[in-house]
Short mmCIF file of all heavy atoms in Angstrom, two decimals:
data_model
loop_
_atom_site.label_atom_id
_atom_site.label_comp_id
_atom_site.label_asym_id
_atom_site.label_seq_id
_atom_site.Cartn_x
_atom_site.Cartn_y
_atom_site.Cartn_z
N LYS N 57 -4.84 -2.78 8.47
CA LYS N 57 -4.42 -3.82 9.47
C LYS N 57 -3.86 -5.05 8.78
O LYS N 57 -3.32 -5.89 9.42
CB LYS N 57 -5.68 -4.26 10.26
CG LYS N 57 -5.88 -3.54 11.52
CD LYS N 57 -7.07 -4.17 12.27
CE LYS N 57 -6.76 -5.50 13.01
NZ LYS N 57 -6.44 -5.37 14.40
N SER N 144 -8.79 -3.58 17.28
CA SER N 144 -7.55 -3.23 17.95
C SER N 144 -6.61 -2.69 16.91
O SER N 144 -6.50 -3.18 15.75
CB SER N 144 -7.00 -4.34 18.70
OG SER N 144 -6.88 -5.49 17.88
N ASN N 146 -3.55 -2.81 15.85
CA ASN N 146 -2.31 -3.52 15.56
C ASN N 146 -2.42 -4.09 14.19
O ASN N 146 -3.51 -4.24 13.60
CB ASN N 146 -2.17 -4.68 16.52
CG ASN N 146 -3.39 -5.55 16.61
OD1 ASN N 146 -4.40 -5.20 17.29
ND2 ASN N 146 -3.39 -6.71 15.95
N SER N 152 -2.23 -7.00 20.58
CA SER N 152 -3.00 -5.76 20.61
C SER N 152 -2.17 -4.66 21.29
O SER N 152 -1.44 -4.94 22.23
CB SER N 152 -4.37 -5.95 21.34
OG SER N 152 -5.11 -6.90 20.72
N HIS N 236 -4.05 -15.10 16.88
CA HIS N 236 -4.04 -13.71 17.29
C HIS N 236 -2.78 -13.45 18.17
O HIS N 236 -2.24 -14.40 18.73
CB HIS N 236 -5.26 -13.39 18.15
CG HIS N 236 -6.45 -12.98 17.39
ND1 HIS N 236 -7.27 -13.90 16.86
CD2 HIS N 236 -6.90 -11.82 17.02
CE1 HIS N 236 -8.24 -13.34 16.26
NE2 HIS N 236 -8.10 -12.04 16.31
N TYR N 237 -2.49 -12.19 18.31
CA TYR N 237 -1.57 -11.78 19.33
C TYR N 237 -0.17 -12.46 19.25
O TYR N 237 0.58 -12.47 20.18
CB TYR N 237 -2.09 -12.03 20.75
CG TYR N 237 -3.62 -11.88 20.87
CD1 TYR N 237 -4.36 -12.98 21.19
CD2 TYR N 237 -4.22 -10.68 20.63
CE1 TYR N 237 -5.73 -12.88 21.34
CE2 TYR N 237 -5.59 -10.59 20.79
CZ TYR N 237 -6.32 -11.69 21.09
OH TYR N 237 -7.69 -11.53 21.21
MG1 LIG Q 2 -7.65 -7.55 17.79
#
Side-chain angles (χ1 to χ4, degrees):
K57 268 185 78 95
S144 50
N146 51 283
S152 300
H236 275 83
Y237 327 116

